[in-house]
Amino acid sequence: MSQADALPIRPGRPNPLWRLSLFRNETVTVFRRWRTLALLGVLAAVPVLVGIAVKLETGRGGGDGGGGGPAFINQVTNNGLFLVFTSLAVTLPFFLPMAVGVVAGDSVAGEASAGTLRYLLVAPAGRTRLLLAKYASTLVFCLAATLVVAVSALTVGALLFPLGDVTLISGTTVSFGDGLLRALAIAGLVAASLTGLAALGLFVSTLTDSGIAAMATTVGLLITVQILDQFPQLHAVQPYLFPHYWQSFADLLRDPVWGEQLLRNLGLQALYVAVFGSAAWARFTTRDVTA
């Protein structure tokens, strides 16, 4: 008997390579869907439209970008790097979270709707590992979607506007390299800001076997919460709404950086991940999977 034959077999305990393979397969599945590619295409187009609009407005003598929109949109004509910050500010209220809501809402319900969820559970992954892989692949999409906006904006900004030292909104001037690092940090913070919504969408996805219903519900909740966050009468509950601190990333453009709102945002997203992640796990591990 060989040494390999003498090794004990432990059924039902997948090795780490299987876990990595499961995550890789889920991530590839997300990004090979035409719907996902279309969402990324729309996100990439937003900075192009914003950059062209600012350029045309400047060409007509509209001053520094027209004066509307985010506080730093007036800086775009002086430094193309500000198109990154502007594009993230423009896409964060709706376009980015809508794309994340679609992907998260479809994560489990889409498999059930297609009749493939049972076959995924036949593999020795377990429901918990499968749910974690689904959520992890959604987080990868959050980061990818944010980077698509940032890279598209940086490319368009470099083509249409000059690049150079960055004057922060606090008045301090830093080097272009420092500004680029701040842009990367802002992109990471924006991606982290979407983790709470991703957990909420995952939970909704475990409640139904219809991918379309899960996506529509997640996006509907997003719009509802965004509206509630605009009413001054609801100021007492607004700090607990997941999008309330999304625009706090602008504090990274100050010197020194204002960290209070940033930490509140990250803490709030962690709370949503813990609550709705746990709810998704409790629902998914106890539901009767028939599709």
Side-chain angles (χ1 to χ4, degrees), residues 26 30 33 44 161-162 179-180 189 222 233 251 264 284-286:
E26 290 298 328
V30 168
R33 292 187 176 123
F161 307 104
L180 201 58
L189 181 62
L222 165 68
Q233 296 83 354
D251 288 342
R264 287 185 179 181
F284 188 60
T285 55
T286 58

Side-chain angles (χ1 to χ4, degrees), residues 1-13 15:
M1 180 184 302
S2 66
Q3 183 178 1
D5 294 333
L7 291 175
I9 299 176
R10 298 179 180 179
R13 296 183 62 183
N15 59 47

